[in-house]
Amino acid sequence: SSSVEAFCGIWEAMVESELEIHVAGRTFATKEAVMHELQEISALAGGEPLNTKDTLFVFSVLSHHPKAQQKICKAVAGITFKTSKEFPDTKCFHLLFDDGTEDTISLAKSVEGLLVSSKAGKRGRELVDNKPGCVVTFSLPNRITTAEIRQALMRHGVVRYIETDPKRGSIALAAQVESEDATDADSPVMALFSSTEGAERAAAECTEVAGVAVKIKVATADQDKKFYAAKDLQEQSSKFSRKNVNPMSRSKGRAKGKGKGKGSF
């Protein structure tokens, strides 16, 4: 019995050492690294709504709460870190909704959910197993960044993945658009929500992104099939790239607990 327990302990340690935690396009090697980032964000919050970058990061973590679908049931306008009304001696993250209401959500449970998701999936994503009806499709000018798209969509539900043109939002493109004779061409965007309800809300309620009018539709069955096939292919390609990366550069990135993740989760 003791030998079995010892083996389980060694195995758990090996799993932890290989763990990659993906949050808002960034990769962390440990739970502590994620918590450190959250502490830095909360320290600078000052009771005011978080900036776009920090909002996306915190929302990505909070979306892993075991009851995220019940908690995040309305359009989210922002996130802040301040004293709780129920517990005056405690500060926590608050979800600010479009209708003027707000609600707290347990950061500890969210982080634990994030860890469970990271351990369960090789890509560390809590995917929806290619569930139909969760993908939306639309077009936007390339000058609008993926971060701006995510900020608009997350007001309607938990967004798991966004597929866009690689050129979208690049500095070079932004500079080109500013020139008098440049054209800002549209390109397609597809986004995966964690539930059909989120996709349907986005299609019904989201009419603009970054000030640009948009018409969002729930993807057809054929579009769903092509989207999931392309996403699975990208995940396999990303996994192969990580396996063949220089060990020294990889360990260096992990030591810092930061780095760029593949894809647009």
Side-chain angles (χ1 to χ4, degrees):
S1 176
S2 59
S3 60
V4 173
E5 292 177 357
F7 175 78
C8 290
I10 294 172
W11 176 255
E12 184 68 20
M14 290 172 64
V15 171
E16 291 290 345
S17 67
E18 292 296 320
L19 184 64
E20 287 186 344
I21 306 171
H22 301 274
V23 184
R26 297 167 61 185
T27 303
F28 297 83
T30 64
K31 172 184 175 181
E32 288 69 26
V34 176
M35 292 302 298
H36 177 72
E37 184 68 21
L38 290 167
Q39 289 168 359
E40 286 190 344
I41 292 173
S42 61
L44 298 173
E48 298 296 323
L50 305 180
N51 60 39
T52 300
K53 178 183 176 182
D54 291 343
T55 296
L56 292 175
F57 185 88
V58 174
F59 187 84
S60 182
V61 175
L62 297 182
S63 67
H64 287 83
H65 189 282
K67 295 184 178 179
Q69 291 302 313
Q70 293 93 320
K71 286 278 188 179
I72 312 173
C73 57
K74 295 182 285 186
V76 178
I79 298 176
T80 187
F81 184 80
K82 61 182 181 180
T83 302
S84 170
K85 292 181 179 179
E86 297 181 3
F87 306 98
D89 297 330
T90 304
K91 286 187 176 182
C92 58
F93 286 106
H94 289 64
L95 293 170
L96 308 177
F97 299 110
D98 260 355
D99 60 6
T101 61
E102 59 185 66
D103 193 11
T104 59
I105 185 168
S106 172
L107 182 62
K109 291 182 180 180
S110 300
V111 172
E112 288 305 315
L114 174 64
L115 291 178
V116 170
S117 173
S118 298
K119 293 176 182 178
K122 292 182 180 180
R123 285 281 293 160
R125 308 288 193 257
E126 187 182 350
L127 300 177
V128 294
D129 296 326
N130 296 6
K131 182 180 178 181
C134 295
V135 178
V136 296
T137 179
F138 51 97
S139 294
L140 280 173
N142 281 327
R143 62 182 168 80
I144 298 177
T145 66
T146 303
E148 289 174 319
I149 295 172
R150 183 178 291 277
Q151 184 180 28
L153 294 182
M154 76 179 198
R155 298 160 71 90
H156 307 283
V158 177
V159 180
R160 292 297 185 200
Y161 183 87
I162 298 177
E163 179 68 35
T164 65
D165 188 312
K167 297 179 181 179
R168 178 170 296 281
S170 68
I171 296 175
L173 178 64
Q176 181 184 8
V177 170
E178 290 177 359
S179 65
E180 295 180 0
D181 59 346
T183 58
D184 187 13
D186 283 11
S187 67
V189 179
M190 299 188 80
L192 171 64
F193 282 85
S194 64
S195 67
T196 56
E197 291 79 10
E200 290 170 355
R201 275 200 299 267
E205 301 172 7
C206 186
T207 58
E208 68 173 45
V209 175
V212 176
V214 64
K215 186 173 180 59
I216 298 178
K217 296 181 179 179
V218 176
T220 64
D222 186 55
Q223 289 173 324
D224 262 352
K225 184 178 179 180
K226 292 180 179 178
F227 171 84
Y228 285 121
K231 180 175 68 62
D232 291 343
L233 181 62
Q234 181 183 347
E235 289 176 354
Q236 292 298 321
S237 176
S238 298
K239 181 176 71 173
F240 177 80
S241 297
R242 285 200 306 275
K243 283 185 176 180
N244 290 276
V245 74
N246 186 309
M248 292 302 293
S249 62
R250 184 169 182 174
S251 61
K252 182 179 180 181
R254 285 188 175 184
K256 292 181 179 180
K258 297 181 180 180
K260 289 186 177 181
K262 298 286 288 183
S264 303
F265 287 86

